[in-house]
Amino acid sequence: QVQLVESGGGLVQAGGSLRLSCAASGSIFSINAMSWYRQGPGKQRELVAGITSGGSTNYADSVKGRFTISIDTAKNTVYLQMNSLKLENTAVYYCNANVRRTDRRFYSDMWGRGTQVAVSS
């Protein structure tokens, strides 16, 4: 089995910063890419940022210049540094990893349970 555990969420004032972490553990053969998604109240889940094991990144337009995704491949951990947070960034943030398990020959997407980020005025 593979587990993704997010941490770092919380309550922050608008303009503040938070750093999310997501650690993957378990029967991991390799990780192709890791991403952060979010789901705000009454909204669909959306991609925030993604990063490959080689370090290529992509971001939602709404977070470019404010959020930075990074990965520590040795620790199977992805980070999301969120600066200049806005009220509309309030959401549950989910970690996603494209993982090949030790007992599989293909990659599949795994999800964490999410961490709440609340931005107040």
Side-chain angles (χ1 to χ4, degrees):
Q1 275 207 338
V2 173
Q3 299 83 34
L4 300 182
V5 178
E6 302 103 332
S7 61
L11 177 63
V12 63
Q13 284 192 325
S17 298
L18 280 175
R19 188 190 193 212
L20 305 183
S21 300
C22 171
S25 63
S27 305
I28 298 171
F29 180 82
S30 69
I31 296 178
N32 183 41
M34 298 184 80
S35 303
W36 287 98
Y37 285 73
R38 67 187 176 193
Q39 187 165 13
K43 297 182 180 179
Q44 290 188 329
R45 191 174 297 190
E46 62 177 358
L47 175 68
V48 177
I51 187 167
T52 68
S53 58
S56 296
T57 60
N58 64 291
Y59 296 91
D61 287 343
S62 62
V63 306
K64 285 180 181 177
R66 299 187 298 119
F67 290 11
T68 302
I69 190 170
S70 60
I71 192 169
D72 184 333
T73 54
K75 296 181 178 179
N76 289 331
T77 299
V78 65
Y79 306 95
L80 184 68
Q81 177 66 44
M82 305 186 294
N83 298 330
S84 302
L85 282 161
K86 303 177 180 180
L87 296 177
E88 56 263 38
N89 298 143
T90 294
V92 178
Y93 284 70
Y94 296 91
C95 177
N96 170 277
N98 190 242
V99 176
R100 179 182 168 185
R101 290 171 35 170
T102 55
D103 60 343
R104 303 276 173 89
R105 292 186 177 184
F106 54 87
Y107 287 84
S108 58
D109 281 340
M110 312 296 296
W111 291 90
R113 292 188 175 186
T115 185
Q116 177 71 53
V117 171
V119 184
S120 65
S121 57

